[in-house]
Amino acid sequence: MNELEEIDTDMDEAPSPRVLKNIHAYWRGANYLSVGQLYLRDNPLLKEPLKQEHVKNMLLGHWGTTPGQNFIYTHLNRVIKRYDIDMIYISGPGHGGPAVVAGTYLEGSYTEVYPNITQDEDGLKKLFTQFSYPGGISSHASPQTPGSIHEGGELGYSLSHAFGAVMDNPELVAACVVGDGEAETGPLATAWHSNKFLNPVTDGVVLPILHLNGYKISNPTVLARISHQELEQLFFGYGWTPYFVEGDDPELMHRAMAITLDKVIAHIRQIKADALEKSDTGRPRWPMIVLKSPKGWTGPKEVDGYKIEGNFRAHQVPLIVSATAPPEHLQMLENWMKSYKPEELFDENGKLMPELAQLAPKGDRRMGANPHANGGQLLRDLRLPEFRNYAVPVDQPGAAGEGDTYVSGRFLRDVIKENQEKRNFRIFGPDETVSNRLDVIFEATNRQWMAPVDEHDEFLSPDGSVMEMLSEHQCEGWLEGYLLTGRHGLFNCYEAFIHIIDSMFNQHAKWLKASAELPWRRNIASLNILLTSTVWRQDHNGFTHQDPGFIDHVVNKKASIVRVYLPPDANCLLSVMDHCLRSRHYVNVIVAGKHPAPQWLNMERAVEHCTRGIGIWNFASNDQDSEPDVVMACSGDVPTLETLAAVSIIREHLPEIRIRVVNVVDLFKLEKNTEHTHGLCDADYNALFTTNKPVIFAFHGYPWLVHRLTYNRANNVNMHVRGYKEEGTITTSFDMTVLNEMDRFHLVMDTIDRLPQTGAKGVYLKQLMQDKLIAHKHYIRAHGKDMPEILDWKWVN
């Protein structure tokens, strides 16, 4: 149908009475299924009087948001079908599962995914029983729910997910329901500004539907208690055109919602047409809908003298039906369910009436069957340039380097170039792409930006592959939405501030874990997080910018999902980056430096080392002909530098000491293979670290993480880890390692303390190291920089 071009945005003609009547019936059906999910385990069509044994023993779930979402889903079905719209549905309010499950069941997509949930009475019984039930499904729009890319268990991310989903998807519309409780969160409040980044030509459309039902768990919501005028001004100020649908009379509300959606679709089509046909590259004022309806709409008005509909008490299960509850509650439940007139909605066998089934879209146009909501179906491999071509020449270990991330930036620049036609790769970051020394990528693209551009601005255009907003929440949310709909990306961030998205990472990791267990969910591209501007090189920012603890947080998650890499130099980073961009269904965390630093391995050796993930560095070891006296281990670029500097001191002063140097790129190599698929078996681990020799381990992060990963290894009692221990200030780079006792001098002293055979030579060397630390302290106070022997140190074989 080509009637969109003919629609006047000022029109107020509603669908026919017959269509509105069927819409109302379909909505009743969705509400009936939702209540059934909350309460019933038998007698799904109420063919006999309701009995206590028909009711679940544990009543879990949330009713308050559900009827409003059923209302929205039903009306979106109409416009999808009328205008042939490619649309996904994002349920932002927490615990909106009953609505999305009901919607997908009615349209048939649920049964296609789960054939045992049939379109009949037996299927209804199973549908009801499984909800919030042991062995069943959760109360959210979880990965188990067809059409969902957003669980909503933790509030605040629906709108940023929606925007990520439509980037580089010009035909896609993401209808995003924002709960009014959710709207109070910081990430959601900030996400309204995402409209400043959406390109109407190359991107799709986000249609926010702010669902104001007045209450959170037990409190009024802020946006529901401000005036209509103030609310309108708020969203107009955010750059939206708000359309309002308000009331509680179903007949009037159906008419108003239908008219409004027609206007909104016409408005969207007009924006798209202007951008395409008139080359209007200005930022449009996209439409949004504010839906005001009662919380728990159509549910019980009052229970035990308490107001329910339109009150916070409708939030969860509004009516307790149990053996110990008042007996009249059972009858109230039956009356409530019968108020939807199920006999008019389902035939004798429990199948939706044909005239109502016709209201749903067909095939992939159903929101539960849209391929964008199962993004692995659409995922295509990236075209990756040969990463070896970007190698840093390393004629001998310790060659000067220009900065590891700067080198990898050239690789990423060309990844963007290679995939510009597909438009399936973006880089996200909170205003740090230049700071993180990835600015070379701007040779290939710009930051996408739809607001005005001043003449002295740099790297801004309406069409770019870099997304920057000074909100880690938005960058992470955009990237997750982008990945979940079948594309690839990278998030670069200051190491200390990646903690801002700790809980978002949690939710995404849980999503990956749950979806991996569903055969119908296809794997998506990995969430790749590059952490730089690290703890050891924050001398100009100080203590506030020093925190390597995100990797501790990541290690908590399922071993099948998470990976942590600490490449020691640029060539290793190139190898790791290529591997991560090719991977599927993981969270890959890469920690790398951005400042000029020594380069240790040529590309051939780097690939070998990164493929193993851990290994002995022969060039730095001298135990080839005997057992080592000590193992000097390191993980991370600065710990590697300090370890090799310590090794050079010991070899100069104590040449008889046999040292084995072990470098760790893949952190999970330290864990047992029974705990993580990347872990080493005991035999291989013992071959590296021995079973009885001291291990001096210089680690990028908090020392106890290494102890945690190796706690059940044979030689754990001899594991001595140096890392960050919450000591820092504005100081020199080397002094940061000194403050945390991970510098070369402390590492030498640690080694001597654990090697009594060093005797008097060890005593004198230890005192020399103490003197060096004193000299260091005096020097930096006098000169404001590190000593020449630190700045000019080079590895010598």
Side-chain angles (χ1 to χ4, degrees), residues 635-660:
S635 185
D637 58 345
V638 172
T640 298
L641 167 61
E642 292 307 309
T643 293
L644 292 182
V647 168
S648 70
I649 294 171
I650 297 172
R651 289 179 63 174
E652 177 186 355
H653 293 271
L654 301 171
E656 67 277 10
I657 298 299
R658 294 294 176 237
I659 304 171
R660 175 179 297 171

PDB file of all heavy atoms in Angstrom, residues 635-660:
ATOM      1  N   SER A 635      52.114  -9.492  33.162  1.00  0.00           N
ATOM      2  CA  SER A 635      50.914  -9.405  32.327  1.00  0.00           C
ATOM      3  C   SER A 635      50.519  -7.941  32.227  1.00  0.00           C
ATOM      4  O   SER A 635      50.193  -7.316  33.230  1.00  0.00           O
ATOM      5  CB  SER A 635      49.769 -10.232  32.932  1.00  0.00           C
ATOM      6  OG  SER A 635      48.654 -10.242  32.079  1.00  0.00           O
ATOM      7  N   GLY A 636      50.553  -7.401  31.026  1.00  0.00           N
ATOM      8  CA  GLY A 636      50.302  -5.992  30.795  1.00  0.00           C
ATOM      9  C   GLY A 636      51.551  -5.298  30.310  1.00  0.00           C
ATOM     10  O   GLY A 636      52.674  -5.765  30.529  1.00  0.00           O
ATOM     11  N   ASP A 637      51.391  -4.156  29.635  1.00  0.00           N
ATOM     12  CA  ASP A 637      52.555  -3.519  29.006  1.00  0.00           C
ATOM     13  C   ASP A 637      53.546  -2.952  30.021  1.00  0.00           C
ATOM     14  O   ASP A 637      54.754  -3.209  29.941  1.00  0.00           O
ATOM     15  CB  ASP A 637      52.106  -2.447  28.018  1.00  0.00           C
ATOM     16  CG  ASP A 637      51.242  -1.363  28.650  1.00  0.00           C
ATOM     17  OD1 ASP A 637      50.733  -1.560  29.773  1.00  0.00           O
ATOM     18  OD2 ASP A 637      51.055  -0.311  28.006  1.00  0.00           O
ATOM     19  N   VAL A 638      53.072  -2.188  31.003  1.00  0.00           N
ATOM     20  CA  VAL A 638      53.984  -1.615  31.996  1.00  0.00           C
ATOM     21  C   VAL A 638      54.567  -2.703  32.900  1.00  0.00           C
ATOM     22  O   VAL A 638      55.781  -2.696  33.172  1.00  0.00           O
ATOM     23  CB  VAL A 638      53.284  -0.505  32.801  1.00  0.00           C
ATOM     24  CG1 VAL A 638      54.140  -0.034  33.969  1.00  0.00           C
ATOM     25  CG2 VAL A 638      52.948   0.678  31.887  1.00  0.00           C
ATOM     26  N   PRO A 639      53.773  -3.645  33.395  1.00  0.00           N
ATOM     27  CA  PRO A 639      54.387  -4.738  34.168  1.00  0.00           C
ATOM     28  C   PRO A 639      55.448  -5.501  33.382  1.00  0.00           C
ATOM     29  O   PRO A 639      56.455  -5.940  33.966  1.00  0.00           O
ATOM     30  CB  PRO A 639      53.193  -5.630  34.512  1.00  0.00           C
ATOM     31  CG  PRO A 639      52.026  -4.699  34.527  1.00  0.00           C
ATOM     32  CD  PRO A 639      52.294  -3.728  33.426  1.00  0.00           C
ATOM     33  N   THR A 640      55.244  -5.659  32.077  1.00  0.00           N
ATOM     34  CA  THR A 640      56.246  -6.341  31.260  1.00  0.00           C
ATOM     35  C   THR A 640      57.538  -5.539  31.217  1.00  0.00           C
ATOM     36  O   THR A 640      58.643  -6.088  31.373  1.00  0.00           O
ATOM     37  CB  THR A 640      55.699  -6.571  29.836  1.00  0.00           C
ATOM     38  OG1 THR A 640      54.541  -7.413  29.912  1.00  0.00           O
ATOM     39  CG2 THR A 640      56.745  -7.225  28.950  1.00  0.00           C
ATOM     40  N   LEU A 641      57.409  -4.233  31.001  1.00  0.00           N
ATOM     41  CA  LEU A 641      58.583  -3.369  30.994  1.00  0.00           C
ATOM     42  C   LEU A 641      59.337  -3.450  32.318  1.00  0.00           C
ATOM     43  O   LEU A 641      60.574  -3.623  32.342  1.00  0.00           O
ATOM     44  CB  LEU A 641      58.151  -1.925  30.715  1.00  0.00           C
ATOM     45  CG  LEU A 641      59.189  -0.825  30.960  1.00  0.00           C
ATOM     46  CD1 LEU A 641      60.410  -1.027  30.071  1.00  0.00           C
ATOM     47  CD2 LEU A 641      58.565   0.542  30.736  1.00  0.00           C
ATOM     48  N   GLU A 642      58.635  -3.315  33.427  1.00  0.00           N
ATOM     49  CA  GLU A 642      59.298  -3.325  34.735  1.00  0.00           C
ATOM     50  C   GLU A 642      59.903  -4.692  35.050  1.00  0.00           C
ATOM     51  O   GLU A 642      60.967  -4.789  35.666  1.00  0.00           O
ATOM     52  CB  GLU A 642      58.309  -2.889  35.817  1.00  0.00           C
ATOM     53  CG  GLU A 642      57.898  -1.433  35.721  1.00  0.00           C
ATOM     54  CD  GLU A 642      59.088  -0.490  35.687  1.00  0.00           C
ATOM     55  OE1 GLU A 642      59.968  -0.608  36.576  1.00  0.00           O
ATOM     56  OE2 GLU A 642      59.168   0.324  34.750  1.00  0.00           O
ATOM     57  N   THR A 643      59.248  -5.745  34.616  1.00  0.00           N
ATOM     58  CA  THR A 643      59.799  -7.083  34.842  1.00  0.00           C
ATOM     59  C   THR A 643      61.102  -7.264  34.075  1.00  0.00           C
ATOM     60  O   THR A 643      62.103  -7.752  34.620  1.00  0.00           O
ATOM     61  CB  THR A 643      58.777  -8.156  34.432  1.00  0.00           C
ATOM     62  OG1 THR A 643      57.659  -8.094  35.314  1.00  0.00           O
ATOM     63  CG2 THR A 643      59.392  -9.554  34.497  1.00  0.00           C
ATOM     64  N   LEU A 644      61.123  -6.870  32.806  1.00  0.00           N
ATOM     65  CA  LEU A 644      62.339  -7.051  32.019  1.00  0.00           C
ATOM     66  C   LEU A 644      63.461  -6.148  32.523  1.00  0.00           C
ATOM     67  O   LEU A 644      64.650  -6.539  32.499  1.00  0.00           O
ATOM     68  CB  LEU A 644      62.054  -6.792  30.551  1.00  0.00           C
ATOM     69  CG  LEU A 644      61.133  -7.838  29.891  1.00  0.00           C
ATOM     70  CD1 LEU A 644      60.946  -7.546  28.425  1.00  0.00           C
ATOM     71  CD2 LEU A 644      61.681  -9.238  30.087  1.00  0.00           C
ATOM     72  N   ALA A 645      63.092  -4.956  33.002  1.00  0.00           N
ATOM     73  CA  ALA A 645      64.121  -4.097  33.596  1.00  0.00           C
ATOM     74  C   ALA A 645      64.682  -4.744  34.855  1.00  0.00           C
ATOM     75  O   ALA A 645      65.906  -4.701  35.105  1.00  0.00           O
ATOM     76  CB  ALA A 645      63.537  -2.730  33.905  1.00  0.00           C
ATOM     77  N   ALA A 646      63.820  -5.366  35.661  1.00  0.00           N
ATOM     78  CA  ALA A 646      64.287  -6.068  36.864  1.00  0.00           C
ATOM     79  C   ALA A 646      65.165  -7.255  36.498  1.00  0.00           C
ATOM     80  O   ALA A 646      66.204  -7.511  37.135  1.00  0.00           O
ATOM     81  CB  ALA A 646      63.088  -6.532  37.695  1.00  0.00           C
ATOM     82  N   VAL A 647      64.775  -7.988  35.469  1.00  0.00           N
ATOM     83  CA  VAL A 647      65.562  -9.135  35.019  1.00  0.00           C
ATOM     84  C   VAL A 647      66.958  -8.676  34.594  1.00  0.00           C
ATOM     85  O   VAL A 647      67.981  -9.323  34.907  1.00  0.00           O
ATOM     86  CB  VAL A 647      64.837  -9.855  33.864  1.00  0.00           C
ATOM     87  CG1 VAL A 647      65.770 -10.869  33.197  1.00  0.00           C
ATOM     88  CG2 VAL A 647      63.589 -10.552  34.382  1.00  0.00           C
ATOM     89  N   SER A 648      67.025  -7.545  33.867  1.00  0.00           N
ATOM     90  CA  SER A 648      68.329  -7.059  33.407  1.00  0.00           C
ATOM     91  C   SER A 648      69.232  -6.701  34.585  1.00  0.00           C
ATOM     92  O   SER A 648      70.456  -6.922  34.541  1.00  0.00           O
ATOM     93  CB  SER A 648      68.146  -5.854  32.483  1.00  0.00           C
ATOM     94  OG  SER A 648      67.687  -4.713  33.197  1.00  0.00           O
ATOM     95  N   ILE A 649      68.651  -6.145  35.657  1.00  0.00           N
ATOM     96  CA  ILE A 649      69.440  -5.811  36.847  1.00  0.00           C
ATOM     97  C   ILE A 649      69.959  -7.078  37.517  1.00  0.00           C
ATOM     98  O   ILE A 649      71.150  -7.180  37.892  1.00  0.00           O
ATOM     99  CB  ILE A 649      68.594  -4.984  37.831  1.00  0.00           C
ATOM    100  CG1 ILE A 649      68.240  -3.619  37.225  1.00  0.00           C
ATOM    101  CG2 ILE A 649      69.321  -4.805  39.162  1.00  0.00           C
ATOM    102  CD1 ILE A 649      67.219  -2.829  38.044  1.00  0.00           C
ATOM    103  N   ILE A 650      69.092  -8.075  37.692  1.00  0.00           N
ATOM    104  CA  ILE A 650      69.506  -9.323  38.352  1.00  0.00           C
ATOM    105  C   ILE A 650      70.575 -10.028  37.534  1.00  0.00           C
ATOM    106  O   ILE A 650      71.592 -10.515  38.080  1.00  0.00           O
ATOM    107  CB  ILE A 650      68.283 -10.237  38.576  1.00  0.00           C
ATOM    108  CG1 ILE A 650      67.279  -9.572  39.522  1.00  0.00           C
ATOM    109  CG2 ILE A 650      68.725 -11.593  39.128  1.00  0.00           C
ATOM    110  CD1 ILE A 650      65.965 -10.310  39.638  1.00  0.00           C
ATOM    111  N   ARG A 651      70.394 -10.053  36.224  1.00  0.00           N
ATOM    112  CA  ARG A 651      71.368 -10.759  35.384  1.00  0.00           C
ATOM    113  C   ARG A 651      72.716 -10.054  35.378  1.00  0.00           C
ATOM    114  O   ARG A 651      73.773 -10.699  35.236  1.00  0.00           O
ATOM    115  CB  ARG A 651      70.812 -10.907  33.975  1.00  0.00           C
ATOM    116  CG  ARG A 651      69.659 -11.914  33.910  1.00  0.00           C
ATOM    117  CD  ARG A 651      69.079 -12.070  32.529  1.00  0.00           C
ATOM    118  NE  ARG A 651      70.045 -12.596  31.573  1.00  0.00           N
ATOM    119  CZ  ARG A 651      69.746 -12.930  30.313  1.00  0.00           C
ATOM    120  NH1 ARG A 651      68.487 -12.798  29.896  1.00  0.00           N
ATOM    121  NH2 ARG A 651      70.672 -13.382  29.500  1.00  0.00           N
ATOM    122  N   GLU A 652      72.693  -8.744  35.559  1.00  0.00           N
ATOM    123  CA  GLU A 652      73.953  -8.018  35.624  1.00  0.00           C
ATOM    124  C   GLU A 652      74.669  -8.260  36.944  1.00  0.00           C
ATOM    125  O   GLU A 652      75.883  -8.483  36.970  1.00  0.00           O
ATOM    126  CB  GLU A 652      73.695  -6.520  35.436  1.00  0.00           C
ATOM    127  CG  GLU A 652      74.965  -5.670  35.559  1.00  0.00           C
ATOM    128  CD  GLU A 652      74.682  -4.182  35.507  1.00  0.00           C
ATOM    129  OE1 GLU A 652      73.503  -3.796  35.270  1.00  0.00           O
ATOM    130  OE2 GLU A 652      75.633  -3.391  35.714  1.00  0.00           O
ATOM    131  N   HIS A 653      73.922  -8.214  38.045  1.00  0.00           N
ATOM    132  CA  HIS A 653      74.540  -8.283  39.362  1.00  0.00           C
ATOM    133  C   HIS A 653      74.599  -9.701  39.932  1.00  0.00           C
ATOM    134  O   HIS A 653      75.457  -9.981  40.783  1.00  0.00           O
ATOM    135  CB  HIS A 653      73.785  -7.375  40.337  1.00  0.00           C
ATOM    136  CG  HIS A 653      73.915  -5.917  40.016  1.00  0.00           C
ATOM    137  ND1 HIS A 653      74.935  -5.147  40.517  1.00  0.00           N
ATOM    138  CD2 HIS A 653      73.158  -5.099  39.237  1.00  0.00           C
ATOM    139  CE1 HIS A 653      74.792  -3.889  40.067  1.00  0.00           C
ATOM    140  NE2 HIS A 653      73.730  -3.842  39.287  1.00  0.00           N
ATOM    141  N   LEU A 654      73.681 -10.556  39.510  1.00  0.00           N
ATOM    142  CA  LEU A 654      73.643 -11.930  40.021  1.00  0.00           C
ATOM    143  C   LEU A 654      73.551 -12.895  38.836  1.00  0.00           C
ATOM    144  O   LEU A 654      72.540 -13.590  38.638  1.00  0.00           O
ATOM    145  CB  LEU A 654      72.431 -12.120  40.951  1.00  0.00           C
ATOM    146  CG  LEU A 654      72.352 -11.211  42.187  1.00  0.00           C
ATOM    147  CD1 LEU A 654      70.996 -11.361  42.868  1.00  0.00           C
ATOM    148  CD2 LEU A 654      73.483 -11.537  43.166  1.00  0.00           C
ATOM    149  N   PRO A 655      74.572 -12.951  38.008  1.00  0.00           N
ATOM    150  CA  PRO A 655      74.489 -13.734  36.766  1.00  0.00           C
ATOM    151  C   PRO A 655      74.283 -15.219  36.993  1.00  0.00           C
ATOM    152  O   PRO A 655      73.838 -15.939  36.078  1.00  0.00           O
ATOM    153  CB  PRO A 655      75.838 -13.449  36.084  1.00  0.00           C
ATOM    154  CG  PRO A 655      76.758 -13.026  37.196  1.00  0.00           C
ATOM    155  CD  PRO A 655      75.885 -12.300  38.175  1.00  0.00           C
ATOM    156  N   GLU A 656      74.589 -15.699  38.194  1.00  0.00           N
ATOM    157  CA  GLU A 656      74.410 -17.135  38.467  1.00  0.00           C
ATOM    158  C   GLU A 656      72.948 -17.516  38.692  1.00  0.00           C
ATOM    159  O   GLU A 656      72.600 -18.713  38.690  1.00  0.00           O
ATOM    160  CB  GLU A 656      75.237 -17.540  39.687  1.00  0.00           C
ATOM    161  CG  GLU A 656      74.773 -16.934  41.010  1.00  0.00           C
ATOM    162  CD  GLU A 656      75.291 -15.520  41.254  1.00  0.00           C
ATOM    163  OE1 GLU A 656      75.861 -14.917  40.310  1.00  0.00           O
ATOM    164  OE2 GLU A 656      75.143 -15.030  42.395  1.00  0.00           O
ATOM    165  N   ILE A 657      72.076 -16.546  38.906  1.00  0.00           N
ATOM    166  CA  ILE A 657      70.652 -16.823  39.139  1.00  0.00           C
ATOM    167  C   ILE A 657      69.983 -17.161  37.817  1.00  0.00           C
ATOM    168  O   ILE A 657      70.091 -16.426  36.832  1.00  0.00           O
ATOM    169  CB  ILE A 657      69.955 -15.615  39.803  1.00  0.00           C
ATOM    170  CG1 ILE A 657      70.576 -15.338  41.174  1.00  0.00           C
ATOM    171  CG2 ILE A 657      68.455 -15.863  39.936  1.00  0.00           C
ATOM    172  CD1 ILE A 657      70.445 -16.480  42.147  1.00  0.00           C
ATOM    173  N   ARG A 658      69.280 -18.282  37.822  1.00  0.00           N
ATOM    174  CA  ARG A 658      68.575 -18.720  36.608  1.00  0.00           C
ATOM    175  C   ARG A 658      67.133 -18.188  36.673  1.00  0.00           C
ATOM    176  O   ARG A 658      66.387 -18.495  37.600  1.00  0.00           O
ATOM    177  CB  ARG A 658      68.584 -20.252  36.501  1.00  0.00           C
ATOM    178  CG  ARG A 658      69.974 -20.821  36.286  1.00  0.00           C
ATOM    179  CD  ARG A 658      70.522 -20.387  34.935  1.00  0.00           C
ATOM    180  NE  ARG A 658      71.886 -20.828  34.719  1.00  0.00           N
ATOM    181  CZ  ARG A 658      72.891 -20.010  34.443  1.00  0.00           C
ATOM    182  NH1 ARG A 658      72.683 -18.698  34.416  1.00  0.00           N
ATOM    183  NH2 ARG A 658      74.096 -20.480  34.214  1.00  0.00           N
ATOM    184  N   ILE A 659      66.794 -17.436  35.637  1.00  0.00           N
ATOM    185  CA  ILE A 659      65.490 -16.747  35.598  1.00  0.00           C
ATOM    186  C   ILE A 659      64.688 -17.227  34.398  1.00  0.00           C
ATOM    187  O   ILE A 659      65.219 -17.321  33.280  1.00  0.00           O
ATOM    188  CB  ILE A 659      65.678 -15.216  35.493  1.00  0.00           C
ATOM    189  CG1 ILE A 659      66.539 -14.691  36.639  1.00  0.00           C
ATOM    190  CG2 ILE A 659      64.329 -14.513  35.462  1.00  0.00           C
ATOM    191  CD1 ILE A 659      66.933 -13.231  36.470  1.00  0.00           C
ATOM    192  N   ARG A 660      63.439 -17.509  34.637  1.00  0.00           N
ATOM    193  CA  ARG A 660      62.489 -17.796  33.557  1.00  0.00           C
ATOM    194  C   ARG A 660      61.478 -16.651  33.498  1.00  0.00           C
ATOM    195  O   ARG A 660      60.864 -16.313  34.516  1.00  0.00           O
ATOM    196  CB  ARG A 660      61.764 -19.118  33.792  1.00  0.00           C
ATOM    197  CG  ARG A 660      60.677 -19.414  32.760  1.00  0.00           C
ATOM    198  CD  ARG A 660      60.014 -20.750  33.022  1.00  0.00           C
ATOM    199  NE  ARG A 660      61.006 -21.830  32.897  1.00  0.00           N
ATOM    200  CZ  ARG A 660      60.756 -23.089  33.230  1.00  0.00           C
ATOM    201  NH1 ARG A 660      59.578 -23.421  33.745  1.00  0.00           N
ATOM    202  NH2 ARG A 660      61.690 -24.014  33.075  1.00  0.00           N
TER     203      ARG A 660
END
